[in-house]
Amino acid sequence: MANQCGDITQGKGHTHSVHHCSEMNLDRIYMDYNATTPLEPEVINAISEALQDAWGNPSSNYIAGAKAKGMINQSRENVARMVGGKAEDIIFTSGGTEANNLVLHTAVEHFRRNCREEPDKGNTKSTGLRPHIVTSNVEHDSVKLVVEHLQEDGKADVTFVPVSKVTGCVEVDDIIAAVRPSTCLISIMLANNETGVIMPVQEICRRVKSLNKQREHLRILLHTDAAQALGKVPVDACELGVDYLTIVGHKFYAPRIGALYVNGPGSRTPLYPMLFGGGQERNFRPGTENTPMIAGLGKAAELVTSNLSEYQSHMRRTKLYLEERLKVVFKDKVHFNSHFPGTDMLPNTCNVSIMGPTLQGWRVLSNCTRLLASVGAACHSDSGNRPSHILLSCGVPWEVAANALRLSVGRGTTTAHVDTVVEDLRETVQMLEDV
């Protein structure tokens, strides 16, 4: 057993390295796995092998190029298997932001092209309609800001369906009620990054497919950003019924690269490139492939496929232990912002507030000596000390949301880590209350 920031746990035939963090020598304990994850040793090995042996251009026929192409093909198979798709359904991207942008711009472009080709079927020329997108009010910024930009530019209309303040989920009936004749896309995240709430994407898809059978014109396309779900819960794109599914490597111990699952790209499901170049990725995403990062993504996907049940059960046990310890130590001061009756949740996410006038989340974390965590999404870390709009949207009162801490455990987080973190929080809270 290594120190608190470098424990090793044994998996099924392979070793998990827990905390590859720069704070390792400071004996810090990382609980921000929803923000990013370290690389598994096997992933690092796959990247290193690609850097050394597969440095050639994958479009070339010489040995190093052929090796690169083989690695990319294998990774495509691995990623497809992880999400229940086929290799030809996977398009590699720079990350989740690019994948989400690709879907949203595709939906608008597909609407525009079909209106131009079929001017008599309820379109922009005959009725003045713009493409309409339905999403939730708790999406990641790589969806939220894109649709807001499209709306501001007059390229699309957008409906932000609010989540229920009881369940933390978008309600399926509310999504269906938001549909218009011009609706071209519904984009709902699979799991929320701050609350851990799993959204009813499968039921939304089932209902929308029934609607599509009644539509004379363009079918409604279905997208889910699965960034937070992959590596934590089973994800099968075919079972969900989505047309698009966003894959983000650095959330499941892979490097910072992504992919987009598309159900039959360019045939069953439209996909229009945002970039133009040398024809890579079947022209959907041109640019010489980043072989080492793709190799790392493929290896991480293979590990998820082989070990998901182990990962999931370990994280769930650890999170439940964390919540029990918080309740024992802080008693009636503790408020769990990620508890919604009857709602499916990620196994690793604990969003908690410790109540007190001096216990704002940012203040607690800045005074902790061991814990590394966040008050919400990492991409909002520069938004000052305002409470999370995600929590406010879920019905969490302002004074509770202001004290929120997002504690997200990982594959190697141990009960010893939890004990140390809770003690660190106890000491910090006592110090802040005594000031």
Short mmCIF file of all heavy atoms in Angstrom, two decimals, residues 281-348:
data_model
loop_
_atom_site.label_atom_id
_atom_site.label_comp_id
_atom_site.label_asym_id
_atom_site.label_seq_id
_atom_site.Cartn_x
_atom_site.Cartn_y
_atom_site.Cartn_z
N GLU A 281 -11.03 10.25 -40.87
CA GLU A 281 -12.32 9.98 -40.22
C GLU A 281 -13.47 10.08 -41.23
O GLU A 281 -14.52 10.67 -40.94
CB GLU A 281 -12.56 10.91 -39.02
CG GLU A 281 -11.59 10.69 -37.87
CD GLU A 281 -11.67 9.31 -37.26
OE1 GLU A 281 -12.68 9.00 -36.61
OE2 GLU A 281 -10.72 8.51 -37.46
N ARG A 282 -13.22 9.54 -42.42
CA ARG A 282 -14.22 9.50 -43.50
C ARG A 282 -14.76 10.89 -43.83
O ARG A 282 -15.93 11.06 -44.14
CB ARG A 282 -15.37 8.55 -43.14
CG ARG A 282 -14.99 7.09 -43.17
CD ARG A 282 -15.90 6.26 -42.30
NE ARG A 282 -15.64 6.48 -40.89
CZ ARG A 282 -16.49 6.15 -39.92
NH1 ARG A 282 -17.65 5.61 -40.20
NH2 ARG A 282 -16.18 6.39 -38.66
N ASN A 283 -13.89 11.90 -43.71
CA ASN A 283 -14.21 13.29 -44.00
C ASN A 283 -15.11 13.94 -42.95
O ASN A 283 -15.40 15.14 -43.05
CB ASN A 283 -14.86 13.46 -45.38
CG ASN A 283 -13.84 13.55 -46.48
OD1 ASN A 283 -12.84 14.25 -46.34
ND2 ASN A 283 -14.08 12.85 -47.57
N PHE A 284 -15.55 13.20 -41.94
CA PHE A 284 -16.40 13.79 -40.91
C PHE A 284 -15.58 14.65 -39.94
O PHE A 284 -16.09 15.60 -39.36
CB PHE A 284 -17.15 12.71 -40.12
CG PHE A 284 -18.15 11.95 -40.94
CD1 PHE A 284 -18.07 10.58 -41.07
CD2 PHE A 284 -19.18 12.62 -41.60
CE1 PHE A 284 -19.00 9.86 -41.81
CE2 PHE A 284 -20.11 11.92 -42.37
CZ PHE A 284 -20.01 10.54 -42.47
N ARG A 285 -14.30 14.26 -39.76
CA ARG A 285 -13.45 15.01 -38.85
C ARG A 285 -12.01 14.91 -39.36
O ARG A 285 -11.20 14.14 -38.83
CB ARG A 285 -13.57 14.45 -37.43
CG ARG A 285 -13.22 15.43 -36.30
CD ARG A 285 -11.74 15.68 -36.19
NE ARG A 285 -11.39 16.52 -35.06
CZ ARG A 285 -10.15 16.90 -34.78
NH1 ARG A 285 -9.14 16.55 -35.56
NH2 ARG A 285 -9.92 17.66 -33.73
N PRO A 286 -11.69 15.65 -40.44
CA PRO A 286 -10.36 15.53 -41.03
C PRO A 286 -9.25 16.10 -40.15
O PRO A 286 -9.52 16.86 -39.22
CB PRO A 286 -10.49 16.34 -42.32
CG PRO A 286 -11.59 17.30 -42.07
CD PRO A 286 -12.55 16.59 -41.16
N GLY A 287 -8.03 15.73 -40.49
CA GLY A 287 -6.86 16.10 -39.71
C GLY A 287 -6.09 14.83 -39.37
O GLY A 287 -6.70 13.82 -39.00
N THR A 288 -4.78 14.85 -39.53
CA THR A 288 -3.99 13.66 -39.24
C THR A 288 -4.26 13.18 -37.82
O THR A 288 -4.19 13.95 -36.87
CB THR A 288 -2.49 13.95 -39.42
OG1 THR A 288 -2.27 14.44 -40.75
CG2 THR A 288 -1.66 12.70 -39.20
N GLU A 289 -4.56 11.91 -37.69
CA GLU A 289 -5.04 11.36 -36.42
C GLU A 289 -3.97 11.45 -35.33
O GLU A 289 -2.78 11.25 -35.58
CB GLU A 289 -5.44 9.89 -36.60
CG GLU A 289 -6.58 9.68 -37.59
CD GLU A 289 -6.10 9.43 -39.01
OE1 GLU A 289 -4.95 9.82 -39.34
OE2 GLU A 289 -6.87 8.86 -39.79
N ASN A 290 -4.44 11.71 -34.13
CA ASN A 290 -3.57 11.77 -32.94
C ASN A 290 -3.44 10.35 -32.40
O ASN A 290 -4.10 9.97 -31.42
CB ASN A 290 -4.17 12.72 -31.91
CG ASN A 290 -3.23 13.02 -30.77
OD1 ASN A 290 -2.24 12.32 -30.56
ND2 ASN A 290 -3.54 14.04 -30.00
N THR A 291 -2.59 9.57 -33.04
CA THR A 291 -2.51 8.13 -32.75
C THR A 291 -2.28 7.81 -31.27
O THR A 291 -2.98 6.97 -30.71
CB THR A 291 -1.42 7.48 -33.60
OG1 THR A 291 -1.66 7.78 -34.98
CG2 THR A 291 -1.42 5.96 -33.42
N PRO A 292 -1.32 8.45 -30.59
CA PRO A 292 -1.10 8.08 -29.18
C PRO A 292 -2.32 8.29 -28.29
O PRO A 292 -2.65 7.44 -27.46
CB PRO A 292 0.06 8.99 -28.76
CG PRO A 292 0.76 9.32 -30.02
CD PRO A 292 -0.32 9.42 -31.05
N MET A 293 -3.00 9.41 -28.47
CA MET A 293 -4.17 9.68 -27.64
C MET A 293 -5.33 8.74 -27.99
O MET A 293 -6.07 8.29 -27.11
CB MET A 293 -4.61 11.14 -27.78
CG MET A 293 -3.58 12.16 -27.31
SD MET A 293 -3.08 11.98 -25.58
CE MET A 293 -1.46 11.18 -25.78
N ILE A 294 -5.47 8.43 -29.27
CA ILE A 294 -6.51 7.47 -29.67
C ILE A 294 -6.21 6.10 -29.09
O ILE A 294 -7.11 5.39 -28.62
CB ILE A 294 -6.61 7.44 -31.21
CG1 ILE A 294 -7.21 8.75 -31.73
CG2 ILE A 294 -7.46 6.24 -31.67
CD1 ILE A 294 -7.19 8.89 -33.24
N ALA A 295 -4.94 5.72 -29.10
CA ALA A 295 -4.55 4.43 -28.52
C ALA A 295 -4.87 4.40 -27.03
O ALA A 295 -5.36 3.39 -26.49
CB ALA A 295 -3.07 4.18 -28.75
N GLY A 296 -4.62 5.52 -26.34
CA GLY A 296 -4.94 5.60 -24.92
C GLY A 296 -6.43 5.51 -24.66
O GLY A 296 -6.88 4.83 -23.72
N LEU A 297 -7.21 6.17 -25.50
CA LEU A 297 -8.67 6.12 -25.36
C LEU A 297 -9.17 4.69 -25.56
O LEU A 297 -10.04 4.21 -24.81
CB LEU A 297 -9.32 7.05 -26.38
CG LEU A 297 -10.84 7.18 -26.32
CD1 LEU A 297 -11.27 7.94 -25.06
CD2 LEU A 297 -11.39 7.88 -27.55
N GLY A 298 -8.63 4.01 -26.55
CA GLY A 298 -9.04 2.63 -26.82
C GLY A 298 -8.72 1.70 -25.67
O GLY A 298 -9.52 0.83 -25.31
N LYS A 299 -7.54 1.85 -25.09
CA LYS A 299 -7.17 1.00 -23.95
C LYS A 299 -8.07 1.28 -22.75
O LYS A 299 -8.51 0.35 -22.06
CB LYS A 299 -5.70 1.22 -23.59
CG LYS A 299 -5.22 0.48 -22.36
CD LYS A 299 -5.48 -1.02 -22.45
CE LYS A 299 -4.63 -1.72 -23.50
NZ LYS A 299 -4.79 -3.20 -23.42
N ALA A 300 -8.35 2.56 -22.49
CA ALA A 300 -9.23 2.90 -21.37
C ALA A 300 -10.63 2.33 -21.59
O ALA A 300 -11.27 1.86 -20.64
CB ALA A 300 -9.29 4.41 -21.20
N ALA A 301 -11.11 2.37 -22.82
CA ALA A 301 -12.42 1.81 -23.13
C ALA A 301 -12.43 0.30 -22.91
O ALA A 301 -13.41 -0.27 -22.39
CB ALA A 301 -12.80 2.13 -24.57
N GLU A 302 -11.34 -0.36 -23.28
CA GLU A 302 -11.22 -1.80 -23.06
C GLU A 302 -11.29 -2.13 -21.58
O GLU A 302 -11.95 -3.09 -21.16
CB GLU A 302 -9.89 -2.29 -23.65
CG GLU A 302 -9.65 -3.78 -23.50
CD GLU A 302 -8.27 -4.18 -23.99
OE1 GLU A 302 -7.64 -3.42 -24.75
OE2 GLU A 302 -7.81 -5.27 -23.59
N LEU A 303 -10.63 -1.33 -20.74
CA LEU A 303 -10.67 -1.55 -19.30
C LEU A 303 -12.08 -1.37 -18.74
O LEU A 303 -12.52 -2.12 -17.86
CB LEU A 303 -9.69 -0.60 -18.60
CG LEU A 303 -8.21 -0.82 -18.88
CD1 LEU A 303 -7.37 0.27 -18.21
CD2 LEU A 303 -7.75 -2.20 -18.44
N VAL A 304 -12.79 -0.37 -19.24
CA VAL A 304 -14.17 -0.16 -18.79
C VAL A 304 -15.03 -1.38 -19.15
O VAL A 304 -15.80 -1.87 -18.31
CB VAL A 304 -14.76 1.12 -19.42
CG1 VAL A 304 -16.27 1.19 -19.20
CG2 VAL A 304 -14.09 2.36 -18.82
N THR A 305 -14.91 -1.85 -20.37
CA THR A 305 -15.71 -3.00 -20.80
C THR A 305 -15.43 -4.22 -19.93
O THR A 305 -16.34 -4.97 -19.57
CB THR A 305 -15.42 -3.32 -22.28
OG1 THR A 305 -15.74 -2.18 -23.08
CG2 THR A 305 -16.25 -4.50 -22.76
N SER A 306 -14.17 -4.42 -19.56
CA SER A 306 -13.78 -5.61 -18.79
C SER A 306 -14.09 -5.51 -17.31
O SER A 306 -14.30 -6.53 -16.65
CB SER A 306 -12.28 -5.87 -18.96
OG SER A 306 -11.94 -6.08 -20.31
N ASN A 307 -14.11 -4.29 -16.77
CA ASN A 307 -14.12 -4.14 -15.31
C ASN A 307 -15.23 -3.25 -14.76
O ASN A 307 -15.18 -2.87 -13.59
CB ASN A 307 -12.78 -3.54 -14.86
CG ASN A 307 -11.60 -4.42 -15.22
OD1 ASN A 307 -11.36 -5.44 -14.61
ND2 ASN A 307 -10.87 -4.01 -16.25
N LEU A 308 -16.22 -2.90 -15.58
CA LEU A 308 -17.21 -1.91 -15.15
C LEU A 308 -17.93 -2.31 -13.87
O LEU A 308 -18.12 -1.48 -12.97
CB LEU A 308 -18.23 -1.64 -16.26
CG LEU A 308 -19.32 -0.63 -15.89
CD1 LEU A 308 -18.71 0.73 -15.56
CD2 LEU A 308 -20.33 -0.49 -17.02
N SER A 309 -18.31 -3.55 -13.76
CA SER A 309 -19.06 -3.99 -12.57
C SER A 309 -18.23 -3.77 -11.31
O SER A 309 -18.74 -3.30 -10.28
CB SER A 309 -19.43 -5.46 -12.72
OG SER A 309 -20.09 -5.91 -11.55
N GLU A 310 -16.94 -4.09 -11.39
CA GLU A 310 -16.04 -3.88 -10.26
C GLU A 310 -15.90 -2.39 -9.94
O GLU A 310 -15.98 -1.99 -8.77
CB GLU A 310 -14.67 -4.46 -10.61
CG GLU A 310 -13.59 -4.23 -9.57
CD GLU A 310 -12.20 -4.56 -10.12
OE1 GLU A 310 -12.10 -5.26 -11.14
OE2 GLU A 310 -11.22 -4.08 -9.52
N TYR A 311 -15.69 -1.59 -10.96
CA TYR A 311 -15.56 -0.14 -10.75
C TYR A 311 -16.81 0.42 -10.07
O TYR A 311 -16.75 1.17 -9.10
CB TYR A 311 -15.36 0.59 -12.08
CG TYR A 311 -14.11 0.26 -12.86
CD1 TYR A 311 -14.06 0.48 -14.23
CD2 TYR A 311 -12.97 -0.26 -12.24
CE1 TYR A 311 -12.92 0.20 -14.97
CE2 TYR A 311 -11.82 -0.54 -12.97
CZ TYR A 311 -11.80 -0.31 -14.33
OH TYR A 311 -10.68 -0.58 -15.07
N GLN A 312 -17.96 0.04 -10.62
CA GLN A 312 -19.23 0.60 -10.16
C GLN A 312 -19.50 0.24 -8.70
O GLN A 312 -19.86 1.10 -7.89
CB GLN A 312 -20.36 0.10 -11.06
CG GLN A 312 -21.72 0.69 -10.75
CD GLN A 312 -22.79 0.20 -11.75
OE1 GLN A 312 -22.53 -0.64 -12.60
NE2 GLN A 312 -23.99 0.73 -11.63
N SER A 313 -19.34 -1.03 -8.37
CA SER A 313 -19.64 -1.47 -7.00
C SER A 313 -18.66 -0.86 -6.00
O SER A 313 -19.06 -0.48 -4.89
CB SER A 313 -19.62 -3.01 -6.91
OG SER A 313 -18.35 -3.52 -7.27
N HIS A 314 -17.40 -0.74 -6.37
CA HIS A 314 -16.42 -0.13 -5.46
C HIS A 314 -16.76 1.34 -5.20
O HIS A 314 -16.75 1.80 -4.05
CB HIS A 314 -15.00 -0.23 -6.03
CG HIS A 314 -14.00 0.56 -5.24
ND1 HIS A 314 -13.48 0.11 -4.05
CD2 HIS A 314 -13.47 1.79 -5.44
CE1 HIS A 314 -12.66 1.02 -3.56
NE2 HIS A 314 -12.63 2.06 -4.38
N MET A 315 -17.06 2.08 -6.27
CA MET A 315 -17.38 3.49 -6.09
C MET A 315 -18.65 3.68 -5.27
O MET A 315 -18.73 4.59 -4.43
CB MET A 315 -17.49 4.19 -7.45
CG MET A 315 -16.15 4.40 -8.13
SD MET A 315 -16.23 5.38 -9.65
CE MET A 315 -16.84 4.17 -10.82
N ARG A 316 -19.63 2.83 -5.50
CA ARG A 316 -20.88 2.95 -4.73
C ARG A 316 -20.63 2.69 -3.25
O ARG A 316 -21.12 3.44 -2.39
CB ARG A 316 -21.93 1.98 -5.27
CG ARG A 316 -23.26 2.08 -4.51
CD ARG A 316 -24.34 1.19 -5.07
NE ARG A 316 -24.81 1.67 -6.36
CZ ARG A 316 -24.60 1.06 -7.52
NH1 ARG A 316 -23.93 -0.07 -7.55
NH2 ARG A 316 -25.07 1.57 -8.64
N ARG A 317 -19.90 1.65 -2.94
CA ARG A 317 -19.59 1.36 -1.52
C ARG A 317 -18.84 2.52 -0.88
O ARG A 317 -19.13 2.91 0.25
CB ARG A 317 -18.74 0.09 -1.42
CG ARG A 317 -19.49 -1.21 -1.61
CD ARG A 317 -18.67 -2.39 -1.12
NE ARG A 317 -17.33 -2.43 -1.73
CZ ARG A 317 -17.04 -3.05 -2.87
NH1 ARG A 317 -18.00 -3.68 -3.54
NH2 ARG A 317 -15.80 -3.06 -3.33
N THR A 318 -17.88 3.07 -1.61
CA THR A 318 -17.07 4.16 -1.07
C THR A 318 -17.89 5.41 -0.85
O THR A 318 -17.77 6.09 0.17
CB THR A 318 -15.88 4.45 -2.00
OG1 THR A 318 -15.16 3.24 -2.25
CG2 THR A 318 -14.94 5.47 -1.38
N LYS A 319 -18.76 5.73 -1.81
CA LYS A 319 -19.61 6.92 -1.66
C LYS A 319 -20.57 6.75 -0.48
O LYS A 319 -20.76 7.69 0.30
CB LYS A 319 -20.41 7.17 -2.94
CG LYS A 319 -21.28 8.43 -2.85
CD LYS A 319 -22.21 8.60 -4.03
CE LYS A 319 -23.42 7.72 -3.94
NZ LYS A 319 -24.47 8.10 -4.91
N LEU A 320 -21.16 5.58 -0.34
CA LEU A 320 -22.07 5.36 0.77
C LEU A 320 -21.34 5.47 2.10
O LEU A 320 -21.88 6.02 3.08
CB LEU A 320 -22.75 3.99 0.64
CG LEU A 320 -23.75 3.86 -0.51
CD1 LEU A 320 -24.25 2.42 -0.63
CD2 LEU A 320 -24.91 4.82 -0.35
N TYR A 321 -20.13 4.97 2.16
CA TYR A 321 -19.33 5.11 3.38
C TYR A 321 -19.04 6.58 3.66
O TYR A 321 -19.12 7.04 4.80
CB TYR A 321 -18.02 4.31 3.23
CG TYR A 321 -17.14 4.38 4.46
CD1 TYR A 321 -17.47 3.68 5.62
CD2 TYR A 321 -15.97 5.14 4.45
CE1 TYR A 321 -16.67 3.74 6.75
CE2 TYR A 321 -15.16 5.21 5.57
CZ TYR A 321 -15.51 4.51 6.72
OH TYR A 321 -14.71 4.59 7.84
N LEU A 322 -18.70 7.32 2.62
CA LEU A 322 -18.45 8.76 2.76
C LEU A 322 -19.68 9.46 3.33
O LEU A 322 -19.57 10.28 4.26
CB LEU A 322 -18.07 9.35 1.40
CG LEU A 322 -18.00 10.87 1.30
CD1 LEU A 322 -16.92 11.43 2.22
CD2 LEU A 322 -17.76 11.29 -0.15
N GLU A 323 -20.84 9.17 2.79
CA GLU A 323 -22.05 9.84 3.26
C GLU A 323 -22.38 9.46 4.70
O GLU A 323 -22.82 10.31 5.49
CB GLU A 323 -23.22 9.51 2.31
CG GLU A 323 -23.04 10.12 0.92
CD GLU A 323 -24.22 9.90 0.01
OE1 GLU A 323 -25.05 9.01 0.31
OE2 GLU A 323 -24.30 10.60 -1.01
N GLU A 324 -22.15 8.19 5.06
CA GLU A 324 -22.39 7.77 6.45
C GLU A 324 -21.46 8.50 7.40
O GLU A 324 -21.87 8.95 8.48
CB GLU A 324 -22.21 6.25 6.57
CG GLU A 324 -23.35 5.45 5.99
CD GLU A 324 -24.69 5.79 6.64
OE1 GLU A 324 -24.75 5.89 7.89
OE2 GLU A 324 -25.66 5.99 5.90
N ARG A 325 -20.19 8.61 7.04
CA ARG A 325 -19.24 9.30 7.91
C ARG A 325 -19.59 10.78 8.06
O ARG A 325 -19.48 11.36 9.15
CB ARG A 325 -17.82 9.16 7.35
CG ARG A 325 -17.25 7.76 7.40
CD ARG A 325 -17.19 7.21 8.80
NE ARG A 325 -16.41 8.09 9.69
CZ ARG A 325 -16.63 8.28 10.97
NH1 ARG A 325 -17.66 7.66 11.57
NH2 ARG A 325 -15.88 9.09 11.69
N LEU A 326 -20.02 11.41 6.98
CA LEU A 326 -20.42 12.82 7.04
C LEU A 326 -21.61 13.00 7.97
O LEU A 326 -21.67 13.95 8.77
CB LEU A 326 -20.75 13.34 5.64
CG LEU A 326 -19.56 13.52 4.70
CD1 LEU A 326 -20.04 13.76 3.27
CD2 LEU A 326 -18.68 14.70 5.15
N LYS A 327 -22.55 12.06 7.92
CA LYS A 327 -23.73 12.15 8.79
C LYS A 327 -23.35 11.96 10.26
O LYS A 327 -23.86 12.65 11.14
CB LYS A 327 -24.77 11.10 8.37
CG LYS A 327 -25.55 11.48 7.13
CD LYS A 327 -26.72 10.55 6.87
CE LYS A 327 -26.26 9.24 6.29
NZ LYS A 327 -27.39 8.38 5.84
N VAL A 328 -22.45 11.03 10.51
CA VAL A 328 -22.03 10.78 11.89
C VAL A 328 -21.30 11.99 12.47
O VAL A 328 -21.55 12.40 13.61
CB VAL A 328 -21.11 9.53 11.94
CG1 VAL A 328 -20.41 9.43 13.31
CG2 VAL A 328 -21.91 8.26 11.67
N VAL A 329 -20.42 12.60 11.67
CA VAL A 329 -19.58 13.69 12.17
C VAL A 329 -20.35 15.01 12.26
O VAL A 329 -20.23 15.75 13.23
CB VAL A 329 -18.32 13.84 11.30
CG1 VAL A 329 -17.57 15.13 11.65
CG2 VAL A 329 -17.42 12.63 11.47
N PHE A 330 -21.15 15.30 11.23
CA PHE A 330 -21.77 16.63 11.16
C PHE A 330 -23.25 16.63 11.54
O PHE A 330 -23.87 17.70 11.63
CB PHE A 330 -21.59 17.22 9.76
CG PHE A 330 -20.15 17.50 9.43
CD1 PHE A 330 -19.45 16.68 8.55
CD2 PHE A 330 -19.48 18.56 10.02
CE1 PHE A 330 -18.12 16.92 8.26
CE2 PHE A 330 -18.15 18.81 9.74
CZ PHE A 330 -17.46 17.98 8.86
N LYS A 331 -23.83 15.46 11.71
CA LYS A 331 -25.21 15.31 12.19
C LYS A 331 -26.19 16.19 11.41
O LYS A 331 -26.23 16.14 10.19
CB LYS A 331 -25.26 15.57 13.70
CG LYS A 331 -24.39 14.59 14.48
CD LYS A 331 -24.45 14.81 15.96
CE LYS A 331 -23.73 13.72 16.72
NZ LYS A 331 -22.28 13.61 16.38
N ASP A 332 -26.93 17.06 12.10
CA ASP A 332 -27.98 17.82 11.43
C ASP A 332 -27.44 19.02 10.64
O ASP A 332 -28.20 19.76 10.01
CB ASP A 332 -29.05 18.29 12.42
CG ASP A 332 -28.47 19.14 13.55
OD1 ASP A 332 -27.23 19.27 13.62
OD2 ASP A 332 -29.26 19.66 14.35
N LYS A 333 -26.13 19.22 10.67
CA LYS A 333 -25.54 20.29 9.86
C LYS A 333 -25.40 19.88 8.40
O LYS A 333 -25.19 20.74 7.54
CB LYS A 333 -24.14 20.64 10.37
CG LYS A 333 -24.10 21.44 11.66
CD LYS A 333 -22.65 21.79 11.97
CE LYS A 333 -22.55 22.55 13.28
NZ LYS A 333 -21.12 22.85 13.58
N VAL A 334 -25.46 18.59 8.12
CA VAL A 334 -25.17 18.11 6.78
C VAL A 334 -26.45 18.06 5.94
O VAL A 334 -27.51 17.67 6.42
CB VAL A 334 -24.47 16.73 6.82
CG1 VAL A 334 -25.43 15.63 7.21
CG2 VAL A 334 -23.82 16.41 5.49
N HIS A 335 -26.31 18.51 4.69
CA HIS A 335 -27.44 18.48 3.76
C HIS A 335 -26.93 17.92 2.44
O HIS A 335 -26.03 18.47 1.82
CB HIS A 335 -28.00 19.89 3.54
CG HIS A 335 -29.20 19.92 2.63
ND1 HIS A 335 -29.11 19.83 1.26
CD2 HIS A 335 -30.53 20.00 2.91
CE1 HIS A 335 -30.33 19.88 0.73
NE2 HIS A 335 -31.20 19.98 1.72
N PHE A 336 -27.52 16.79 2.00
CA PHE A 336 -27.09 16.16 0.76
C PHE A 336 -27.90 16.72 -0.41
O PHE A 336 -29.12 16.53 -0.49
CB PHE A 336 -27.24 14.64 0.84
CG PHE A 336 -26.28 14.00 1.80
CD1 PHE A 336 -26.72 13.54 3.04
CD2 PHE A 336 -24.93 13.90 1.49
CE1 PHE A 336 -25.84 12.99 3.94
CE2 PHE A 336 -24.03 13.34 2.39
CZ PHE A 336 -24.48 12.89 3.62
N ASN A 337 -27.21 17.40 -1.29
CA ASN A 337 -27.87 18.02 -2.45
C ASN A 337 -28.06 17.04 -3.59
O ASN A 337 -28.69 17.39 -4.60
CB ASN A 337 -27.02 19.19 -2.95
CG ASN A 337 -26.69 20.17 -1.84
OD1 ASN A 337 -27.57 20.55 -1.06
ND2 ASN A 337 -25.43 20.56 -1.74
N SER A 338 -27.52 15.84 -3.45
CA SER A 338 -27.60 14.84 -4.51
C SER A 338 -28.53 13.69 -4.14
O SER A 338 -28.43 12.61 -4.72
CB SER A 338 -26.19 14.31 -4.83
OG SER A 338 -25.50 13.92 -3.65
N HIS A 339 -29.41 13.91 -3.18
CA HIS A 339 -30.39 12.89 -2.80
C HIS A 339 -31.76 13.30 -3.34
O HIS A 339 -32.36 14.27 -2.88
CB HIS A 339 -30.45 12.74 -1.28
CG HIS A 339 -29.27 12.01 -0.71
ND1 HIS A 339 -29.19 11.67 0.61
CD2 HIS A 339 -28.14 11.56 -1.30
CE1 HIS A 339 -28.03 11.04 0.82
NE2 HIS A 339 -27.38 10.98 -0.32
N PHE A 340 -32.25 12.54 -4.31
CA PHE A 340 -33.58 12.79 -4.88
C PHE A 340 -34.34 11.47 -4.84
O PHE A 340 -33.92 10.49 -5.46
CB PHE A 340 -33.47 13.30 -6.32
CG PHE A 340 -32.80 14.64 -6.45
CD1 PHE A 340 -31.44 14.73 -6.71
CD2 PHE A 340 -33.53 15.81 -6.31
CE1 PHE A 340 -30.82 15.96 -6.83
CE2 PHE A 340 -32.92 17.04 -6.43
CZ PHE A 340 -31.56 17.12 -6.69
N PRO A 341 -35.45 11.42 -4.12
CA PRO A 341 -36.18 10.16 -3.95
C PRO A 341 -36.58 9.54 -5.29
O PRO A 341 -37.13 10.21 -6.16
CB PRO A 341 -37.43 10.58 -3.16
CG PRO A 341 -37.03 11.86 -2.48
CD PRO A 341 -36.07 12.53 -3.40
N GLY A 342 -36.27 8.26 -5.45
CA GLY A 342 -36.69 7.52 -6.63
C GLY A 342 -35.89 7.79 -7.89
O GLY A 342 -36.22 7.28 -8.96
N THR A 343 -34.83 8.58 -7.79
CA THR A 343 -34.02 8.94 -8.95
C THR A 343 -32.76 8.10 -9.01
O THR A 343 -32.09 7.91 -8.00
CB THR A 343 -33.64 10.43 -8.90
OG1 THR A 343 -34.85 11.21 -8.94
CG2 THR A 343 -32.76 10.83 -10.06
N ASP A 344 -32.43 7.60 -10.19
CA ASP A 344 -31.18 6.86 -10.37
C ASP A 344 -30.01 7.84 -10.29
O ASP A 344 -30.07 8.95 -10.82
CB ASP A 344 -31.17 6.15 -11.73
CG ASP A 344 -32.15 4.99 -11.79
OD1 ASP A 344 -32.46 4.42 -10.73
OD2 ASP A 344 -32.61 4.67 -12.91
N MET A 345 -28.93 7.40 -9.65
CA MET A 345 -27.78 8.26 -9.40
C MET A 345 -26.49 7.59 -9.83
O MET A 345 -26.39 6.37 -9.84
CB MET A 345 -27.68 8.59 -7.91
CG MET A 345 -28.95 9.13 -7.27
SD MET A 345 -29.43 10.74 -7.91
CE MET A 345 -28.03 11.73 -7.39
N LEU A 346 -25.49 8.40 -10.16
CA LEU A 346 -24.14 7.87 -10.37
C LEU A 346 -23.63 7.27 -9.06
O LEU A 346 -23.96 7.76 -7.98
CB LEU A 346 -23.19 8.97 -10.83
CG LEU A 346 -23.41 9.53 -12.24
CD1 LEU A 346 -22.43 10.67 -12.50
CD2 LEU A 346 -23.24 8.45 -13.30
N PRO A 347 -22.80 6.23 -9.14
CA PRO A 347 -22.34 5.57 -7.92
C PRO A 347 -21.26 6.33 -7.17
O PRO A 347 -20.90 5.95 -6.06
CB PRO A 347 -21.79 4.24 -8.45
CG PRO A 347 -21.32 4.55 -9.84
CD PRO A 347 -22.32 5.55 -10.37
N ASN A 348 -20.72 7.41 -7.75
CA ASN A 348 -19.53 8.03 -7.17
C ASN A 348 -19.70 9.46 -6.69
O ASN A 348 -18.77 10.04 -6.15
CB ASN A 348 -18.39 8.02 -8.19
CG ASN A 348 -18.52 9.15 -9.21
OD1 ASN A 348 -19.60 9.41 -9.72
ND2 ASN A 348 -17.42 9.82 -9.48
#
